[in-house]
Amino acid sequence: MTTAPRRLHLALHPYGVGGPGQHGLWKDPRVAKNASIDIGYYVRQAQAAEHALFDALFIVDSQFINATYPAHYLNRLEPLTLLSAVATHTSRVGLVGTASSTYNSPFNLARRFASLDHISGGRAGWNVVTSFDTGTARNFGLDEHLDYATRYGRAREFVEVARGLWDSYEDDAFPADVERGVFLDPKKLHALDHEGEHFKVAGPLNLSRSPQGQPVIFQAGVSEEGRDLAARVAEGIYAPGGTLAQAQEYYADIKRRTAAHGRDPEHIKVFIHGSPVVAATDEAARRREREIHEEDKDLGRSLGLLGRSFGAHDFARYDLDAPFPDVAHLAEKGGRTTATKIIERARTEHLTLRQVAESLNAYKEGPFTGAPETVADALQHWFEAGTLDGVNLAFRTEEELNLFVDGVVPLLQKRGLFRTAYEADTLRGHLGLPVPENRHTAARA
């Protein structure tokens, strides 16, 4: 029996009017100033991704802002509403939305994702986040953001409950037999009756399973708790990337942890973030990359980005040229992994606040910048070096997306690294993931 060759997975992450590191994007005359709230923009992005045979469209989200946040964060559509609209204008591309396990209830969110899964014909995915913006708590009637251990414990149980609810109906629960007058076989409907540390949910969910069984679970695990959660429950991961060596370490660690939990490492797909810059020549692409960096230089925005890792802390209140302030106590309820690294580096290198903020926006050559052949070579090298299963791509403009689709994708296809046609109708099918058997059907087998 021959094993099918590994193929690269590609997803598209729209920037709208500009996310982190893209603060000046809204100024680009090619970008509509209302892109982040224009459903037409997202439909065009999704259709372009589908035309290019990408696996999925990925929508990020958060539920707290202040005036320092990137333009896209200040004014954008809610992911599941957005993706439900996009689903009616596409037929194959996967649709992955971000939703917090800290600031949602399992029954409502499970129903919403199951609805998207039905609307799209089995193309839904849920990117599970625990929310590191501490200000989010105040938008949900809480004075304090949950600590790390509680957030991740809650997330694990949340996914368990959602999956249980998605199995409320067995696949043959609805005979709809007119002659016998039987619409539902009641033996195939199952209450959940879950009572755990964080949730008490009776069920059942009033919605059947979709063609892919259940929505695909994605997660972005960086910390120890995050990596362990991903290895236990995720089927797709948005990885931090970094250098090739760092990506290799992360990839190997996730696959090892997944196997240690008794799961097939092939059933978890690791995506890294990529922002390719493609031009006719390597020199032109590098020049454009530097132009983009110069367009996005803004110390105030860099301070705001720094603050997000510390629970949206206001760093503008400090002397920029004094030593980096003692804010270690803010890391636990923010983005602890990133915050801890920032504190350690500032302490070790004796950096001022200004130096730390500027370093967050320092120019770094991207690994996927150059002429089409150069970018294809880099993607192939990273893929074959054991750093990723896929890349979550972000482009500043639709024109730059088209340069990648028209110039790089055909080269990847010619090398046998990327599909030349969709071979499945569902997101699970695109990713090579199995359809989970209904737990109640399996229990009777």
Side-chain angles (χ1 to χ4, degrees):
M1 180 178 176
T2 58
T3 303
R6 277 182 77 223
R7 284 186 178 167
L8 182 66
H9 298 287
L10 297 176
L12 180 63
H13 164 205
Y15 271 141
V17 291
Q22 304 289 335
H23 292 138
L25 181 55
W26 64 273
K27 302 174 186 176
D28 192 311
R30 297 169 296 176
V31 176
K33 303 303 179 277
N34 70 335
S36 296
I37 56 170
D38 176 16
I39 192 59
Y41 164 80
Y42 293 102
V43 168
R44 290 193 301 274
Q45 292 274 305
Q47 290 176 336
E50 187 165 271
H51 172 73
L53 307 175
F54 284 11
D55 294 75
L57 179 77
F58 170 59
I59 303 297
V60 300
D61 194 42
S62 62
Q63 298 179 94
F64 171 80
I65 60 163
N66 61 38
T68 69
Y69 275 48
H72 177 59
Y73 284 33
L74 296 176
N75 189 26
R76 58 179 167 180
L77 299 176
E78 188 278 321
L80 286 172
T81 308
L82 181 167
L83 291 171
S84 294
V86 168
T88 65
H89 293 274
T90 55
S91 60
R92 306 295 282 277
V93 71
L95 304 169
V96 183
T98 299
S100 173
S101 59
T102 304
Y103 298 106
N104 276 291
S105 70
F107 189 92
N108 283 341
L109 197 61
R111 189 183 187 204
R112 287 159 57 201
F113 271 107
S115 295
L116 175 62
D117 218 15
H118 275 283
I119 291 168
S120 64
R123 296 184 283 135
W126 171 24
N127 178 38
V128 182
V129 298
T130 64
S131 298
F132 66 81
D133 282 324
T134 59
T136 308
R138 296 191 296 275
N139 289 334
F140 288 84
L142 302 176
D143 294 327
E144 291 289 334
H145 192 46
L146 301 179
D147 61 33
Y148 241 71
T150 303
R151 294 203 322 262
Y152 279 94
R154 178 185 168 97
R156 181 180 171 190
E157 187 178 336
F158 198 121
V159 173
E160 177 188 341
V161 172
R163 284 176 162 161
L165 289 169
W166 289 331
D167 277 354
S168 292
Y169 287 111
E170 296 184 49
D171 292 335
D172 56 351
F174 293 98
D177 188 327
V178 175
E179 291 185 5
R180 293 191 296 130
V182 177
F183 182 72
L184 165 70
D185 180 348
K187 296 190 299 296
K188 303 296 178 68
L189 172 61
H190 303 275
L192 184 62
D193 293 326
H194 173 89
E195 291 192 31
E197 181 181 356
H198 302 281
F199 303 107
K200 184 176 181 180
V201 182
L205 190 68
N206 55 339
L207 192 57
S208 59
R209 283 161 47 107
S210 80
Q212 67 171 350
Q214 297 183 358
V216 178
I217 298 293
F218 288 80
Q219 208 266 332
V222 179
S223 66
E224 278 296 309
E225 294 92 337
R227 292 187 186 205
D228 188 63
L229 175 65
R232 287 177 181 273
V233 307
E235 297 162 296
I237 293 183
Y238 295 114
T243 66
L244 187 138
Q246 289 170 332
Q248 285 174 321
E249 182 279 325
Y250 182 92
Y251 186 87
D253 183 51
I254 288 293
K255 297 289 185 172
R256 177 188 59 77
R257 290 176 190 243
T258 303
H261 288 302
R263 300 178 58 206
D264 185 342
E266 288 301 308
H267 293 168
I268 186 167
K269 305 300 181 182
V270 177
F271 286 74
I272 69 165
H273 174 77
S275 297
V277 179
V278 183
T281 65
D282 290 353
E283 181 182 24
R286 288 297 175 195
R287 185 166 59 248
R288 177 58 186 145
E289 186 178 54
R290 284 191 173 276
E291 289 172 355
I292 292 170
H293 175 258
E294 291 302 314
E295 291 169 7
D296 287 328
K297 285 178 68 174
D298 184 317
L299 182 59
R301 293 292 183 184
S302 295
L303 287 170
L305 180 60
L306 174 63
R308 288 198 72 206
S309 295
F310 295 88
H313 186 61
D314 180 15
F315 279 96
R317 70 175 72 169
Y318 301 103
D319 180 351
L320 288 173
D321 297 307
F324 189 75
D326 181 8
V327 289
H329 62 289
L330 299 173
E332 179 62 27
K333 293 184 179 178
R336 187 182 67 185
T337 303
T338 300
T340 300
K341 289 180 179 179
I342 290 171
I343 291 168
E344 290 176 352
R345 179 168 171 261
R347 183 182 299 126
T348 301
E349 300 179 22
H350 307 290
L351 301 179
T352 64
L353 173 58
R354 183 190 302 275
Q355 289 171 322
V356 170
E358 289 178 342
S359 71
L360 293 179
N361 202 23
Y363 174 70
K364 302 180 186 70
E365 288 192 354
F368 309 125
T369 297
E373 191 87 25
T374 300
V375 175
D377 287 346
L379 286 167
Q380 180 172 0
H381 177 58
W382 278 61
F383 180 60
E384 294 177 346
T387 66
L388 56 87
D389 296 303
V391 184
N392 194 26
L393 299 163
F395 301 92
R396 290 171 64 87
T397 67
E398 294 176 50
E399 177 184 51
E400 290 174 10
L401 165 61
N402 292 335
L403 286 172
F404 181 89
V405 169
D406 295 339
V408 179
V409 169
L411 295 175
L412 297 174
Q413 292 171 325
K414 186 177 180 180
R415 300 176 190 187
L417 294 171
F418 189 64
R419 64 174 65 90
T420 55
Y422 281 121
E423 298 166 356
D425 296 321
T426 68
L427 179 53
R428 286 186 179 279
H430 301 335
L431 297 174
L433 299 172
V435 174
E437 186 176 12
N438 184 290
R439 66 190 64 194
H440 304 291
T441 305
R444 272 207 314 276

